[in-house]
Amino acid sequence: MAMQNKNFIGIDLGGTNIKIGCLSANMKLLWKISIPTNAQMGPAIVIDRIVDAIKETANKKNIPLKTIKAIGIGTPGPAKYSQGIITRCSNLPKFTNVPISKILKKKLGRPVILENDANAACFGEFVVGVGRNIKNMVFFTLGTGIGAGIISDGKLLYGSGDNAAELGHTIVNINGRLCSCGQHGCAEAYASATNTAKRATEAIEAGAKSSLKKVLNKNGQITSKDVYEHLAKGDKLAKKITDETAEVLAVLCINSLHYVEPEKIVFAGGMIAAGKPLLDRIKYYFKQHIWKIKQENTVEICFATLGEDAGIIGAAALARET
Amino acid sequence: MAMQNKNFIGIDLGGTNIKIGCLSANMKLLWKISIPTNAQMGPAIVIDRIVDAIKETANKKNIPLKTIKAIGIGTPGPAKYSQGIITRCSNLPKFTNVPISKILKKKLGRPVILENDANAACFGEFVVGVGRNIKNMVFFTLGTGIGAGIISDGKLLYGSGDNAAELGHTIVNINGRLCSCGQHGCAEAYASATNTAKRATEAIEAGAKSSLKKVLNKNGQITSKDVYEHLAKGDKLAKKITDETAEVLAVLCINSLHYVEPEKIVFAGGMIAAGKPLLDRIKYYFKQHIWKIKQENTVEICFATLGEDAGIIGAAALARET
């Protein structure tokens, strides 16, 4: 009896992989697995595979299903999160108007909450990562795009229709670079991992000298990882591209400070593998651009600490809130 | 007995005038007065004049002081609002570390809350103005600067140190025009009333042709009111300046949508006297710039309706919350 209803499942449903974790009430990770999404199989099969994976792993780890109190699931937006419905999702092409919370609840007999994946990761960092002991936090994931989440007064900020904190699409350069969303001058159009690499490619194609040119010729493309590797080797173009990325991220930090005044601004996602050279540059440009009228710039800019577990931890922590 | 503790005082302490209003519990304005601030007399005398004005008017209007339950006061920032202390204020030069809430409470025997003036006006519009029946709202006052307030899930958003919603100083044009705060490319550097007029002056001084040149020569300066009057008469420079102001305000609206997803974005302050030509242009540029990936752009952009009473109403409404 003591084992009943004390654990939580967190699911991070991405376009490539589905990560699933089982966490205790104090958010200790009891087990985690990762399975390929195979989104092309369609939602019915994908959801069945999630259910089977949970049941099998619960059994194998000897932490029975009856100990699970609730389930949280994070997916890319846009979605009708509060209704538990994935409306459409570029990374999950066959998922159109899928009431995933309802289906999972029926199959597993537990309450299910659906959340934006960046919000879930943000909440994970807030509850057990770098956001412990603070009440206001802004969180960015730097990947293909720039995902974001806002914690205001201890809670995720949702807005009027569950789609607040689309901070990658805030405009930092009016009439600037075209973004995939159709706007001009979005932060994401410059500073996502994909657009960092893309700007390097464009510069080389326009004739800029760089050791990255060999990579482009060999692989047919440049990644943000390539940019940071060549930055470490002293390549001037890699430095210029990294500076531009950091400057845009610094302006995102300044605007976030002026909107919601967080104690911490946290960067996560693949691109933080660039490490200290990137973080130091963001802090440098933050100091260059921030207003001079206030001395008390107490916001801390830092990297996330939970890595790819943030999503499942956050989803489980949100399930615990219900 | 029935008359006791049912009314609220709202004070809008500005650099030029102090507006004071007495409101019933349902936020009906019972009386209001305006007295010159005379800030150079220093905080002790100014506060005594506020106390005297409240006592005299309460007496004259036959709504005795004993019917007052609490007092709210709005002042320009920055301040330690939650502690009730005006730390320093460019419009109230002698007010340095003044515990105004404590002093007023001692002299009037009622709880006093201190609030940012833009937040107070925002809350006023939220409670009895255009924000009735919504839960999320972003509010801008277009004056010397651009003040702002954010209502998130029915509450003012404060951030970690009472200074969130400094939206006039969010950057919309990285490396753009220098702002009085020391940053470059702030929305305020383009689109406040003062900077709208300043950009017109600069253009004329740089040789632009405009019917505003006569105004500049005659008065030694141009106001935003002049700009909108000459816009109405068909002046091309006035149109260009207004377009630039509206475009920056539209980007502020887009960024506000992506941060906190409000149902309404509300403009107030002296410059909304420009009326429909300004509002229509803001909406036009909003549609030009907003992302194309989502059809559901349900945010309403509108003007405030309470005029200069918003500040005292909001301060009284915040006093009612305590």
Side-chain angles (χ1 to χ4, degrees):
Chain A
M1 282 300 286
M3 273 185 73
Q4 281 188 341
N5 289 346
K6 63 171 193 177
N7 299 323
F8 298 87
I9 295 282
I11 303 170
D12 186 355
L13 172 55
T16 310
N17 292 302
I18 304 166
K19 295 178 207 113
I20 306 173
C22 180
L23 290 97
S24 64
N26 62 358
M27 293 296 112
K28 197 167 167 285
L29 193 57
L30 304 175
W31 56 258
K32 66 170 172 172
I33 56 166
S34 179
I35 58 175
T37 306
N38 297 338
Q40 76 285 356
M41 289 178 175
I45 294 175
V46 171
I47 293 171
D48 274 345
R49 290 175 55 242
I50 291 173
V51 171
D52 291 347
I54 291 173
K55 285 182 176 170
E56 277 171 28
T57 316
N59 207 25
K60 206 167 74 181
K61 298 287 179 180
N62 204 20
I63 300 172
L65 211 59
K66 66 178 180 185
T67 70
I68 305 302
K69 191 168 179 189
I71 296 160
I73 177 163
T75 67
K80 291 178 183 168
Y81 292 108
S82 51
Q83 296 172 48
I85 298 170
I86 299 176
T87 44
R88 63 209 148 97
C89 176
S90 57
N91 291 339
L92 302 166
K94 291 193 177 175
F95 284 63
T96 308
N97 294 318
V98 178
I100 189 164
S101 294
K102 200 176 158 189
I103 299 171
L104 274 177
K105 189 184 172 185
K106 202 171 173 186
K107 290 184 184 280
L108 289 167
R110 294 291 181 283
V112 177
I113 64 111
L114 182 68
E115 182 56 79
N116 174 280
D117 56 354
N119 272 358
C122 174
F123 199 70
E125 286 290 344
F126 175 65
V127 172
V128 305
V130 293
R132 292 184 320 271
N133 310 321
I134 60 171
K135 291 187 77 178
N136 302 278
M137 178 177 124
V138 174
F139 174 86
F140 296 103
T141 53
L142 307 175
T144 313
I146 297 182
I150 299 172
I151 304 282
S152 176
D153 199 20
K155 287 179 189 167
L156 275 169
L157 191 151
Y158 286 104
S160 60
D162 298 353
N163 288 301
E166 289 278 7
L167 308 189
H169 298 290
T170 55
I171 294 169
V172 297
N173 192 9
I174 191 169
N175 300 319
R177 190 177 164 85
L178 181 65
C179 184
S180 62
C181 76
Q183 293 181 177
H184 283 264
C186 295
E188 177 170 313
Y190 297 88
S192 68
T194 302
N195 280 310
T196 295
K198 204 173 166 192
R199 284 188 295 108
T201 304
E202 288 169 4
I204 290 167
E205 286 173 351
K209 285 182 185 171
S210 169
S211 55
L212 284 161
K213 194 172 180 178
K214 279 185 191 168
V215 179
L216 182 61
N217 289 342
K218 191 181 161 202
N219 301 341
Q221 63 170 0
I222 292 170
T223 66
S224 64
K225 194 162 170 265
D226 295 326
V227 174
Y228 293 111
E229 279 174 13
H230 287 247
L231 170 73
K233 291 176 191 164
D235 182 60
K236 278 187 182 171
L237 179 66
K239 182 182 179 308
K240 182 172 175 280
I241 296 293
T242 308
D243 282 343
E244 286 168 1
T245 293
E247 191 169 16
V248 166
L249 295 177
V251 170
L252 258 188
C253 290
I254 291 168
N255 288 354
S256 296
L257 178 65
H258 292 330
Y259 263 91
V260 296
E261 205 191 21
E263 286 102 333
K264 286 190 184 181
I265 297 172
V266 182
F267 289 98
M271 206 159 75
I272 70 167
K276 193 167 151 49
L278 178 61
L279 185 60
D280 285 350
R281 275 179 169 77
I282 297 171
K283 289 179 178 176
Y284 169 79
Y285 283 108
F286 183 84
K287 277 186 189 151
Q288 290 292 109
H289 281 279
I290 190 70
W291 58 8
K292 312 294 179 279
I293 53 168
K294 287 216 279 187
Q295 276 78 46
E296 61 269 31
N297 298 317
T298 52
V299 68
E300 183 187 339
I301 300 170
C302 60
F303 281 166
T305 54
L306 299 180
E308 59 175 21
D309 289 346
I312 54 176
I313 296 173
L318 284 160
R320 187 179 61 171
E321 299 276 300
T322 58
Chain B
M1 280 302 285
M3 273 185 69
Q4 280 189 343
N5 289 345
K6 64 171 192 177
N7 299 322
F8 299 88
I9 295 282
I11 303 170
D12 185 357
L13 174 54
T16 311
N17 291 302
I18 305 166
K19 295 178 207 108
I20 306 174
C22 179
L23 289 97
S24 65
N26 63 357
M27 292 297 113
K28 197 167 167 287
L29 194 57
L30 303 174
W31 56 258
K32 66 171 174 173
I33 55 166
S34 178
I35 58 175
T37 306
N38 296 337
Q40 76 285 355
M41 289 178 174
I45 294 176
V46 171
I47 293 172
D48 274 345
R49 290 177 54 243
I50 291 172
V51 171
D52 291 347
I54 291 172
K55 286 182 176 171
E56 276 170 29
T57 315
N59 207 26
K60 206 167 74 181
K61 298 286 179 180
N62 204 21
I63 299 171
L65 211 59
K66 66 178 178 184
T67 71
I68 305 302
K69 190 168 179 188
I71 295 159
I73 177 162
T75 67
K80 292 179 182 168
Y81 292 107
S82 51
Q83 296 173 47
I85 298 169
I86 299 175
T87 44
R88 65 209 146 97
C89 176
S90 56
N91 291 338
L92 302 166
K94 291 192 176 174
F95 283 63
T96 307
N97 294 318
V98 178
I100 189 165
S101 293
K102 199 175 159 189
I103 300 171
L104 274 177
K105 188 185 172 184
K106 201 172 174 185
K107 289 183 184 280
L108 289 167
R110 294 292 181 280
V112 177
I113 63 110
L114 183 67
E115 182 57 78
N116 174 281
D117 56 354
N119 272 358
C122 174
F123 199 70
E125 286 289 344
F126 174 65
V127 172
V128 304
V130 292
R132 292 185 320 271
N133 310 320
I134 60 172
K135 290 185 79 178
N136 302 277
M137 178 178 123
V138 174
F139 174 86
F140 296 103
T141 53
L142 307 174
T144 312
I146 297 182
I150 298 172
I151 304 282
S152 176
D153 200 20
K155 287 178 188 166
L156 274 169
L157 192 152
Y158 286 105
S160 60
D162 297 352
N163 288 301
E166 289 278 6
L167 308 190
H169 298 289
T170 55
I171 294 168
V172 296
N173 192 8
I174 190 169
N175 299 320
R177 191 176 162 86
L178 181 64
C179 184
S180 63
C181 76
Q183 293 182 176
H184 283 264
C186 295
E188 177 170 312
Y190 298 88
S192 68
T194 302
N195 280 309
T196 295
K198 205 172 166 191
R199 285 187 295 107
T201 304
E202 288 170 5
I204 290 167
E205 287 174 350
K209 283 182 187 172
S210 169
S211 55
L212 284 161
K213 194 172 180 179
K214 279 185 190 168
V215 179
L216 181 61
N217 289 342
K218 190 182 160 200
N219 301 342
Q221 63 170 0
I222 292 171
T223 66
S224 64
K225 195 162 169 266
D226 295 326
V227 174
Y228 293 111
E229 280 175 11
H230 287 247
L231 170 72
K233 291 176 193 165
D235 182 60
K236 279 186 180 171
L237 178 66
K239 183 181 178 308
K240 182 172 176 281
I241 296 293
T242 307
D243 281 344
E244 287 168 2
T245 293
E247 190 169 15
V248 166
L249 295 177
V251 170
L252 258 188
C253 290
I254 290 168
N255 288 354
S256 296
L257 178 65
H258 292 330
Y259 264 91
V260 296
E261 205 191 19
E263 285 102 334
K264 286 190 184 182
I265 297 172
V266 182
F267 289 97
M271 207 160 75
I272 69 167
K276 194 166 150 49
L278 177 61
L279 185 59
D280 285 350
R281 275 178 169 76
I282 297 171
K283 289 180 178 176
Y284 168 80
Y285 283 109
F286 182 84
K287 278 185 189 151
Q288 291 292 110
H289 281 279
I290 190 70
W291 58 9
K292 312 295 180 275
I293 53 167
K294 287 216 279 186
Q295 276 78 47
E296 61 270 31
N297 298 316
T298 52
V299 68
E300 183 186 339
I301 300 170
C302 60
F303 281 167
T305 54
L306 300 180
E308 60 174 21
D309 288 347
I312 53 177
I313 296 173
L318 284 160
R320 187 179 61 170
E321 299 276 300
T322 57

